[in-house]
């Protein structure tokens, strides 16, 4: 007999819950945090240079951006491209694998818009 457990308001089998928790944990490890999805969205639009990303993502330090870019590259979401010449130009481009995030980004973006609207309305009513 399989035990049931209450997780986030819905019942599920423990093995299913554990599997979902592990999968979400893996996803958050790869794309979690304040900046990773924002960086991916910026690079999805077009290939970008480091300074361009730093200007676009207000509030991110060079150290944090560098670290996040390295992690995204290690996880296969972006590619660092060095163009030799004078001057040397380094650009970051999206990989095919990043396109698997499109449904997630679309859904998260839609939820963000509606959440912002809900918060705005709740402040107007108070």
């Amino acid at each position: 007999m399989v035990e049931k457990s209450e997780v986030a308001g819905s019942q599920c089998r423990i093995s299913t819950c554990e599997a979902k928790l592990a999968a979400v944990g893996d996803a958050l490890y790869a794309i979690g945090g304040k900046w990773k999805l924002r960086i991916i969205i910026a690079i999805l639009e077009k290939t970008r240079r480091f300074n361009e990303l730093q200007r676009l993502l207000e509030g991110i330090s060079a150290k944090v951006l560098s670290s996040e870019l390295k992690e995204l590259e290690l996880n296969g979401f972006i590619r660092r491209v060095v163009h030799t010449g004078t001057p040397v130009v380094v650009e970051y481009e999206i990989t095919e694998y990043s396109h698997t995030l499109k449904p997630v980004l679309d859904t998260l973006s839609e939820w963000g818009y509606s959440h912002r609207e809900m918060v705005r309305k709740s402040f107007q009513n108070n």
Side-chain angles (χ1 to χ4, degrees), residues 69-111:
L69 287 168
K70 285 176 187 172
E71 287 182 30
L72 288 169
E73 186 177 12
L74 284 172
N75 282 301
F77 294 109
I78 63 169
R79 187 176 304 111
R80 183 177 186 264
V81 180
V82 180
H83 301 282
T84 56
T86 307
V88 173
V89 175
V90 178
E91 294 180 318
Y92 295 91
E93 63 185 25
I94 215 72
T95 62
E96 275 301 309
Y97 184 56
S98 288
H99 293 286
T100 64
L101 291 172
K102 186 162 177 20
V104 173
L105 295 172
D106 290 344
T107 301
L108 189 58
S109 179
E110 288 173 23
W111 183 86

Side-chain angles (χ1 to χ4, degrees), residues 113-126:
Y113 288 131
S114 64
H115 177 70
R116 178 178 290 171
E117 187 63 21
M118 185 274 304
V119 169
R120 187 183 64 76
K121 286 179 180 177
S122 71
F123 278 115
Q124 286 177 344
N125 292 335
N126 290 332

Side-chain angles (χ1 to χ4, degrees), residues 32-67:
K34 182 176 180 179
W35 298 108
K36 284 187 180 87
L37 288 178
R38 293 175 184 182
I39 292 168
I40 289 170
I41 289 167
I43 300 173
L44 270 170
E45 183 181 305
K46 69 177 192 170
T47 299
R48 300 202 187 255
R49 296 183 186 181
F50 184 91
N51 286 336
E52 186 180 5
L53 284 167
Q54 193 173 13
R55 280 190 300 273
L56 186 62
L57 302 167
E58 293 179 19
I60 193 169
S61 69
K63 181 179 177 180
V64 170
L65 178 56
S66 178
S67 174

